[in-house]
Amino acid sequence: MEQGITQPSVKSQHLWWQNGVIYQIYPRSFQDSNGDGVGDLQGIISRLDYLQWLGVDCVWLSPIFSSPMADFGYDISDYQGIHPLFGTMEDFDELLGEVHNRGMKLLLDLVPNHTSDQHPWFLESRSSKDNPKRDWYIWHDGKADGGLPNNWLSVFGGHAWEWDEVTQQYYYHAFLKEQPDLNWRNPQVQEAMMNVMRFWLDKGIEGFRVDVMWHMVKDEQLRDNPPFPGSTFDPNDLIYDHYTPVYSTDQPEVHEIVHMMRAVTDEYDDRVLIGEIYLPIHKLVTYYGQDNKGAHLPFNFQLLTLPWDAPAIAMAIDEYEGALPAEGWPNWVLGNHDKPRISSRVGREQAKVAALLLLTLRGTPTIYYGDEIGMRDVAIPMNEIVDPQGLNMPDLNISRDPARTPMQWSGEINAGFSTHKPWLRLPFNSGRVNVEKQKGDMYSKLHFYRKLISLRKEHAALNVGSYRPIYADQQLISYVRESGNERFLIVLNLSHRPAYFKPRQESYSGTVILGTEIERIGMQVEDIITLGGDEGLLIRLS
């Protein structure tokens, strides 16, 4: 690992989304202002001072648009309306202004792959075969024997084709049947969605996170997806992951659509386009586009999906750095609304090591609300599950509810989130694990996050500096961040046992400026460094 990948010299000028920290809010669960048990825009406004105190630069909101809520906002019935649960357009305008008043940016979730089945576009499309909007969605006859058009499955379980009795055809839905997929091969669909983007950009938002970007275009011939290698083929098997979605996702033409979205984004100054893309690295990096005219940040989910294993993660970081196009800017994600929380995946103590990794790697980090206080997945009784993914496949225990529970603000009733019973239950320990309690404890995870974010802002080497891997073994990852005369060594023990940093060629000495154990700060280190289990160090090199 001594011979590392090096980057081109750091550019003199970086954009806000390159040196900033993004903070994801799941609006239903951040703060309830009107006592109905569901978070809302006014609630978010009331907590912006906290986000400013924490040091984040950009707030990303999961969907707040008009929706029947079959998939909690990812089934949109009006792309230019606000759901009454969250407030009004006036509330949104106030939120945007208050975010900007604090020197922060605001991103919205764009869900272009599918709409709600209650969207006026779809109501027209399904009204008759000759309706002008019929081709706005993916309709198809069944096979001659009466079978489905192909074997494509829904991510949420079951077949992805829904029969429409009125027009005697099937329509395609990659997710719920209430979420019909748009036909992105239709130029009218393309123009309509570009105008949706312009509507919000004209309001002054700083950009979009684009939902399931790699799903947007499907194989024109509707060919069957093959079984996943090694799986036992069973035509009655209706579990999405048992097939490889080579024809229903990641088609070559999707890059033309991403290029269109980037062109619209570039009509405005200093905006950013982020893509949700769960693909291997060699495919992920293609979404930067030719001449870097695709997504500014194709989301990199390796820290979400890989086993928490030092050799695997060290290799993945280097593979990613090596695969990036020349002008491509990296990014990293530890948690989001679709995956188990980091503290549940790797444990409470190791989650601090993960935070140190997230906030010292080269590239833009995204923090999921509550991770900064160590929120864990909450055990939701089966009779309280509301997530359609969990309800449709109960035997797989894949509900996303446990990672979407209300923010734990204080020891008050309902953790200060609401005066009413929250839409999802809180953990039993929310009286101990909350923002208010951790704000008063300098040893807390919250203060650790705040200090890390502050150090990122203070030091160009940690912010936009180069990355060079130094040493990795079965327990450790280590690397150097450098800019000008500043050099920092980061050493992370991803195991629960003591470990030893033993560089093979260079000599390293310096001062610990932050560690998962606060007592380490100020200590001098040299050459072989001993780390305890679940320990990470940030060292300013001499």
Side-chain angles (χ1 to χ4, degrees):
M1 294 290 296
E2 289 286 348
Q3 300 303 314
I5 298 160
T6 58
Q7 287 75 42
S9 59
V10 178
K11 290 179 285 186
S12 59
Q13 185 68 35
H14 284 78
L15 300 170
W16 67 264
W17 51 266
Q18 293 176 309
N19 55 31
V21 175
I22 299 172
Y23 186 95
Q24 182 192 357
I25 289 176
Y26 194 68
R28 294 181 69 92
S29 293
F30 202 60
Q31 179 66 59
D32 173 21
S33 72
N34 60 4
D36 64 358
V38 178
D40 47 49
L41 297 179
Q42 284 295 330
I44 295 170
I45 291 170
S46 73
R47 297 296 187 179
L48 290 178
D49 286 345
Y50 164 74
L51 297 180
Q52 187 177 28
W53 173 86
L54 183 60
V56 300
D57 303 279
C58 177
V59 177
W60 152 35
L61 302 183
S62 291
I64 54 172
F65 312 110
S66 303
S67 166
M69 292 290 169
D71 188 22
F72 295 102
Y74 283 91
D75 51 315
I76 295 172
S77 56
D78 180 0
Y79 285 99
Q80 297 178 13
I82 303 294
H83 194 292
L85 262 178
F86 301 123
T88 64
M89 188 62 78
E90 289 71 26
D91 292 324
F92 174 81
D93 291 339
E94 182 183 350
L95 170 63
L96 181 59
E98 291 297 330
V99 167
H100 288 167
N101 286 343
R102 288 164 177 79
M104 296 188 291
K105 314 290 186 181
L106 186 65
L107 305 180
L108 292 183
D109 234 310
L110 183 69
V111 187
N113 177 70
H114 49 265
T115 70
S116 164
D117 62 353
Q118 300 304 305
H119 195 292
W121 298 346
F122 188 70
L123 295 178
E124 282 194 54
S125 182
R126 80 184 310 177
S127 64
S128 69
K129 286 185 178 179
D130 57 2
N131 186 276
K133 284 192 170 59
R134 183 66 170 185
D135 191 49
W136 281 43
Y137 293 82
I138 301 171
W139 293 92
H140 208 274
D141 292 329
K143 292 181 178 176
D145 62 1
L148 299 169
N150 60 27
N151 72 348
W152 295 357
L153 299 179
S154 163
V155 176
F156 289 166
H159 295 293
W161 294 96
E162 184 70 11
W163 176 251
D164 181 64
E165 192 63 38
V166 174
T167 58
Q168 297 288 292
Q169 277 190 318
Y170 290 94
Y171 68 84
Y172 176 71
H173 57 94
F175 297 90
L176 296 175
K177 64 181 176 63
E178 294 87 356
Q179 294 170 292
D181 280 43
L182 285 161
N183 175 18
W184 271 92
R185 296 179 183 276
N186 185 321
Q188 292 176 307
V189 169
Q190 297 167 10
E191 184 58 29
M193 200 60 72
M194 298 307 127
N195 287 334
V196 167
M197 293 177 66
R198 291 186 182 99
F199 174 83
W200 292 104
L201 290 166
D202 285 342
K203 276 188 167 290
I205 70 164
E206 275 72 30
F208 298 97
R209 172 266 192 188
V210 181
D211 187 60
V212 296
M213 181 178 273
W214 83 111
H215 271 263
M216 289 196 300
V217 179
K218 290 78 177 171
D219 177 50
E220 201 160 21
Q221 299 177 54
L222 301 184
R223 288 170 283 190
D224 280 356
N225 283 326
F228 190 81
S231 66
T232 303
F233 180 71
D234 180 351
N236 297 313
D237 187 348
L238 302 183
I239 296 178
Y240 182 81
D241 289 343
H242 289 189
Y243 290 80
T244 304
V246 294
Y247 292 118
S248 54
T249 66
D250 192 35
Q251 297 304 291
E253 300 92 332
V254 74
H255 297 287
E256 298 171 25
I257 305 303
V258 178
H259 189 274
M260 289 180 198
M261 291 180 161
R262 171 64 178 268
V264 170
T265 308
D266 286 349
E267 292 171 12
Y268 303 77
D269 292 335
D270 294 332
R271 302 304 201 268
V272 67
L273 186 69
I274 302 174
E276 182 197 25
I277 303 160
Y278 284 93
L279 287 173
I281 286 300
H282 70 282
K283 291 187 175 183
L284 174 73
V285 296
T286 65
Y287 283 78
Y288 284 100
Q290 291 291 329
D291 301 318
N292 205 36
K293 287 296 182 182
H296 294 94
L297 298 175
F299 258 154
N300 169 19
F301 294 126
Q302 290 184 100
L303 300 182
L304 267 175
T305 56
L306 284 171
W308 200 249
D309 171 77
I313 291 178
M315 184 178 73
I317 295 167
D318 292 348
E319 180 189 10
Y320 179 52
E321 282 281 358
L324 284 166
E327 295 298 312
W329 187 252
N331 71 92
W332 298 94
V333 182
L334 267 186
N336 66 23
H337 60 291
D338 287 331
K339 299 293 181 182
R341 285 191 176 272
I342 184 66
S343 286
S344 289
R345 284 188 282 124
V346 304
R348 289 184 177 91
E349 294 306 314
Q350 193 62 215
K352 289 183 77 174
V353 177
L356 192 51
L357 178 68
L358 174 72
L359 290 161
T360 60
L361 281 171
R362 191 175 81 97
T364 305
T366 297
I367 298 171
Y368 185 49
Y369 84 96
D371 280 354
E372 73 273 20
I373 59 170
M375 281 177 59
R376 290 169 61 85
D377 290 354
V378 177
I380 307 293
M382 292 194 72
N383 64 344
E384 294 180 19
I385 293 172
V386 293
D387 173 35
Q389 179 170 282
L391 291 171
N392 289 355
M393 297 175 278
D395 294 341
L396 299 181
N397 189 23
I398 55 173
S399 168
R400 297 166 295 179
D401 291 338
R404 297 177 172 184
T405 55
M407 183 67 171
Q408 295 155 212
W409 292 107
S410 69
E412 298 174 291
I413 186 170
N414 300 324
F417 165 74
S418 177
T419 57
H420 188 274
K421 180 183 176 183
W423 75 287
L424 284 175
R425 65 165 52 198
L426 288 149
F428 300 116
N429 68 355
S430 62
R432 287 188 291 111
V433 181
N434 59 64
V435 169
E436 184 179 74
K437 202 163 189 69
Q438 291 196 20
K439 261 193 168 185
D441 177 7
M442 295 304 295
Y443 293 88
S444 69
K445 193 164 289 178
L446 177 59
H447 276 283
F448 183 73
Y449 262 88
R450 185 171 185 247
K451 181 63 174 174
L452 257 175
I453 293 170
S454 175
L455 287 169
R456 260 187 76 88
K457 292 179 183 295
E458 184 181 346
H459 299 286
L462 295 174
N463 195 328
V464 296
S466 63
Y467 160 88
R468 181 164 59 94
I470 300 301
Y471 171 83
D473 59 23
Q474 295 302 310
Q475 295 175 275
L476 292 179
I477 294 174
S478 62
Y479 47 93
V480 164
R481 299 295 310 281
E482 183 172 2
S483 177
N485 295 323
E486 277 192 327
R487 286 200 313 152
F488 292 90
L489 171 68
I490 295 92
V491 186
L492 307 171
N493 183 357
L494 271 62
S495 78
H496 306 306
R497 297 176 51 250
Y500 303 92
F501 171 74
K502 298 176 289 187
R504 298 192 182 108
Q505 295 173 4
E506 299 180 57
S507 177
Y508 294 94
S509 62
T511 306
V512 176
I513 63 168
L514 188 66
T516 51
E517 302 296 338
I518 198 170
E519 292 82 3
R520 281 274 213 170
I521 295 176
M523 287 186 179
Q524 300 298 306
V525 295
E526 189 169 356
D527 295 335
I528 296 178
I529 301 171
T530 305
L531 291 90
D534 306 311
E535 185 173 19
L537 299 174
L538 173 56
I539 300 160
R540 188 202 306 268
L541 293 174
S542 305

